[in-house]
Amino acid sequence: MKHSIDLNLYRFLNLIFEQKSLPKVCHTLNISRATFNRQLADCREQFGNELFIATKGLYHPTLFCSQLMHIIDEPLEQLESAQTQVNVLESATQPKEFRFFMPNPLSAILTTPLLELLNQHSNIADFSMVDWNLEGIEFPKAGSLAVGISGYPSVMNERVVERKIGELRLFLYTSTNNALSQQEIIDIQQLQGEKLVRVSMGGLDDTPYYDRIKRQLGFTLSRRLTVPSVHAALDWLTKTDYVLICLSLPDAALPKNIKKIPLIQNNGQMSFDIGLQFHRGYYQHPTMMKLEKHLSEILTGL
């Protein structure tokens, strides 16, 4: 076994250990399959061990690899945290780049208000809004402010702070050809037999998220169709008798034959709590505090 190794390879090995999937690791590190195979071969040569056994597309660690990961896990996390803290310090003044991570249903509502807000600051050189991704929030780029906005509470880790910033009302969207459109309010219990189109929540599409919804409702809504965006869902509603449960979309964004109906449970309108997530290094950062205040005001006005 060689006595020196590129520290980046330790993170590479750690990701394989955690994700066990070549495509996932390649996506996380933005590398090709060829690079993945080359780096794994380098690691095997460095340590004189197979490290991982690939079975049916999954990478299972050898005993040596499991022991190695146990040894390097904490130091690796400390190194990554230190680099992130450096990145945060580099943006201690007014950051010039803003990156917002949020699922499509929220971006459909918040993109324009956020653009209007940030457009008031000429020193912002770059603004991007992308699908919610914990990795991007945990490890912000140097000089940038990385913020996640999603349902509250979400499953976070010790690197990420989450704060509730407001709530949004829930509505049912349906074609005027659907009998449900004749009602002025809809009780969630009425939807147990309806065909539901759902908008993907990206990185938030996981079992804990839907388990929480099931506990809140007391039953499981049938999810027969999942589409990538609110726009695609609304377009599908115009052609079918499917229904959509979503946040309060602007009336101007709705197709002509789509009706928006308040959704209630136990005689009260249902709502969706919204949370803000950011790296703990940004805690009480002046810009973050201002952003949190502005976002709360935006949500209150919707």
Side-chain angles (χ1 to χ4, degrees), residues 33-296:
R33 288 173 176 262
T35 301
F36 176 98
N37 291 327
R38 185 178 67 253
Q39 290 186 353
L40 182 55
D42 289 344
C43 290
R44 285 168 169 164
E45 181 182 355
Q46 288 273 0
F47 289 103
N49 186 272
E50 190 69 10
L51 297 176
F52 294 96
I53 308 299
T55 306
K56 295 182 179 179
L58 296 178
Y59 284 74
H60 302 281
T62 63
L63 176 60
F64 173 85
C65 182
S66 295
Q67 293 171 337
L68 176 65
M69 292 302 103
H70 179 73
I71 293 170
I72 71 170
D73 184 61
E74 186 174 344
L76 185 63
E77 183 174 331
Q78 291 174 345
L79 284 170
E80 290 181 335
S81 179
Q83 180 59 55
T84 302
Q85 292 291 348
V86 170
N87 292 347
V88 170
L89 289 173
E90 287 185 10
S91 61
T93 56
Q94 175 67 33
K96 298 185 181 301
E97 180 180 348
F98 281 74
R99 289 177 62 79
F100 289 90
F101 298 85
M102 64 183 77
N104 183 268
L106 277 172
S107 65
I109 296 170
L110 294 177
T111 297
T112 298
L114 282 172
L115 284 173
E116 291 173 346
L117 172 64
L118 297 177
N119 196 43
Q120 300 171 16
H121 302 276
S122 58
N123 60 325
I124 296 176
D126 190 8
F127 168 81
S128 57
M129 185 174 290
V130 296
D131 284 340
W132 194 93
N133 179 283
L134 182 58
E135 181 93 2
I137 302 167
E138 281 187 280
F139 305 107
K141 293 168 56 180
S144 71
L145 193 68
V147 176
I149 305 174
S150 68
Y152 176 90
S154 297
V155 179
M156 296 291 112
N157 58 43
E158 68 280 358
R159 298 190 191 99
V160 178
V161 175
E162 182 178 37
R163 294 171 62 84
K164 181 180 175 181
I165 55 174
E167 61 182 33
L168 290 172
R169 294 172 296 165
L170 287 173
F171 292 82
L172 181 78
Y173 296 85
T174 182
S175 165
T176 52
N177 295 323
N178 190 316
L180 290 174
S181 67
Q182 303 303 312
Q183 300 181 218
E184 295 306 315
I185 57 173
I186 297 284
D187 191 296
I188 188 73
Q189 295 287 339
Q190 294 178 244
L191 303 182
Q192 293 190 57
E194 293 293 325
K195 292 185 289 186
L196 181 70
V197 58
R198 185 180 67 84
V199 179
S200 171
M201 299 291 281
L204 293 168
D205 269 339
D206 55 20
T207 300
Y209 174 78
Y210 291 106
D211 284 346
R212 178 158 57 89
I213 292 178
K214 182 179 179 180
R215 288 195 300 271
Q216 290 173 343
L217 298 180
F219 63 90
T220 302
L221 287 169
S222 174
R223 303 192 304 274
R224 301 191 183 186
L225 176 65
T226 300
V227 295
S229 68
V230 169
H231 176 78
L234 292 175
D235 184 58
W236 182 246
L237 295 187
T238 65
K239 301 175 173 64
T240 67
D241 59 350
Y242 277 69
V243 298
L244 168 69
I245 296 174
C246 194
L247 307 170
S248 181
L249 301 171
D251 291 339
L254 301 181
K256 289 183 178 179
N257 65 331
I258 297 300
K259 186 174 180 180
K260 171 182 174 181
I261 308 172
L263 195 60
I264 66 169
Q265 183 181 30
N266 299 326
N267 297 318
Q269 179 152 11
M270 297 185 68
S271 62
F272 188 76
D273 290 338
I274 306 297
L276 181 73
Q277 304 101 27
F278 51 88
H279 188 275
R280 63 186 180 189
Y282 288 118
Y283 186 66
Q284 293 190 331
H285 187 295
T287 301
M288 186 64 72
M289 294 172 69
K290 291 179 182 178
L291 181 61
E292 183 177 340
K293 178 177 180 293
H294 286 311
L295 284 169
S296 294

